[in-house]
Amino acid sequence: MQRIILLGAELREARESSGLSTSDSTKRLGWYAGKLSKVEQGDKSVTDRELAKAIDVFGIAPERADALKELAAEARRRLPPARVPEWATKYVNLVAAATELKLFFPDSFPGTVQTFDYARAILRSAVIVAPADVDRMAEERSKRAERLMNSETTRLWLVIGEEALHREIGGKAVLRGQLEQMRSLAETPDTTVQIIPFDGGAHACHGTAFTIITLLEGKPSIVYTEGLTGSDYLGREHVRVYNLAYDNLRAVALSPQKTLEAIERRIGELT
């Protein structure tokens, strides 16, 4: 998934450098309307013939063209399926490939860092998850969280509303277990966890959870937002705005040390 996103970003950059609009490029490529946008967004792979045509239309230099051909071949390799809704599969793969993640969740801990019991409690309440799938999906979430906690390649920023420390999802024992995992996560060198306190006043993102995903430094990031039945992957100007909002969130949140102290206090209250 990382490679198909990178290929799309490279082709978009080449198209823009050539001065061609999306509609003009689509005509020259002989593609159907909307296909180029899907390719540039990383939602669709290209064949060798299609890539060769794009290289010609955009005037891509031979050395760069060779790198794109290799990237395209790797992008077409199929990944093992994740047990998530179809519209969330791309997100799971992007998170696995990310070098940096910035997450904001106002009232709960995100699936990216959930324990098995916490995930199961949330999935049990979901209206789109079949009861037979709950335990297997919770297990996958907990394994992904464990991989992220042990990752040496992903920088994680996590801003959470204080409500997450108090909403007893799954009961006191389950919440305590989740908080203990958050304490461990907050103590790892490549992770920063911050809590926005109840008395912190207004901030830029009330009611809006989102994730900013960076695959490679210097390459375009992607903003992921999710609803009950679908999700959006936003780029370009959206990324600038969400990064600005994230900076605002971190400014009004407790410091990482104060956050760790708040987590410790809450664990003590639940013991």
Side-chain angles (χ1 to χ4, degrees):
M1 180 57 68
Q2 179 190 36
R3 292 171 177 83
I4 195 172
I5 294 289
L6 291 177
L7 177 63
E10 292 283 356
L11 288 175
R12 182 177 66 237
E13 184 178 316
R15 175 181 61 77
E16 292 175 343
S17 296
S18 72
L20 291 172
S21 67
T22 301
S23 59
D24 286 340
S25 298
T26 296
K27 292 177 182 177
R28 296 194 185 192
L29 291 167
W31 293 358
Y32 61 80
K35 179 174 180 175
L36 180 56
S37 293
K38 289 181 178 180
V39 170
E40 290 184 353
Q41 291 168 8
D43 290 327
K44 188 172 182 59
S45 61
V46 292
T47 65
D48 290 338
R49 181 177 295 180
E50 288 170 337
L51 180 58
K53 182 68 173 178
I55 289 169
D56 179 57
V57 169
F58 301 151
I60 298 173
E63 183 176 339
R64 190 179 183 190
D66 289 341
L68 291 182
K69 290 174 183 177
E70 183 176 347
L71 196 59
E74 293 174 348
R76 289 194 294 268
R77 294 174 185 166
R78 296 184 64 84
L79 294 170
R83 191 176 295 277
V84 295
E86 182 179 352
W87 44 265
T89 301
K90 179 179 175 180
Y91 172 72
V92 170
N93 291 329
L94 284 172
V95 167
T99 58
E100 181 179 69
L101 295 170
K102 296 179 180 178
L103 298 95
F104 170 63
F105 277 67
D107 56 11
S108 63
F109 295 101
T112 316
V113 297
Q114 289 173 2
T115 65
F116 172 80
D117 290 331
Y118 192 90
R120 182 168 58 179
I122 286 192
L123 290 166
R124 279 177 171 172
S125 66
V127 295
I128 61 169
V129 177
D133 291 333
V134 167
D135 282 359
R136 285 174 290 183
M137 291 177 70
E139 181 67 22
E140 284 201 4
R141 281 194 184 185
S142 66
K143 287 180 178 178
R144 290 197 296 269
E146 184 177 346
R147 286 194 294 270
L148 183 61
M149 290 177 68
N150 295 322
S151 174
E152 297 181 353
T153 59
T154 304
R155 181 78 176 92
L156 176 64
W157 305 83
L158 182 60
V159 178
I160 299 292
E162 188 177 353
E163 181 180 342
L165 275 65
H166 295 272
R167 181 169 292 279
E168 295 181 5
I169 293 173
K172 293 181 184 296
V174 171
L175 177 57
R176 184 175 67 248
Q178 180 64 51
L179 289 172
E180 289 170 347
Q181 177 154 299
M182 293 308 303
R183 177 178 59 191
S184 298
L185 185 61
E187 292 174 340
T188 60
D190 291 327
T191 299
T192 300
V193 180
Q194 292 180 261
I195 297 294
I196 295 184
F198 286 134
D199 61 3
H203 59 74
C205 303
H206 290 284
T208 303
F210 63 90
T211 302
I212 303 173
I213 305 165
T214 301
L215 296 175
L216 286 178
E217 186 176 353
K219 294 298 181 180
S221 297
I222 302 160
V223 174
Y224 174 79
T225 61
E226 181 179 302
L228 291 178
T229 57
S231 60
D232 281 318
Y233 297 86
L234 310 174
R236 297 192 180 183
E237 178 63 14
H238 299 282
V239 176
R240 186 191 70 81
V241 172
Y242 275 85
N243 269 308
L244 183 62
Y246 204 81
D247 289 343
N248 175 279
L249 291 171
R250 293 203 63 215
V252 301
L254 297 177
S255 69
Q257 182 57 42
K258 292 290 186 182
T259 293
L260 192 55
E261 292 170 4
I263 292 173
E264 290 277 13
R265 284 196 301 272
R266 186 62 181 137
I267 290 172
E269 293 171 359
L270 292 167
T271 300

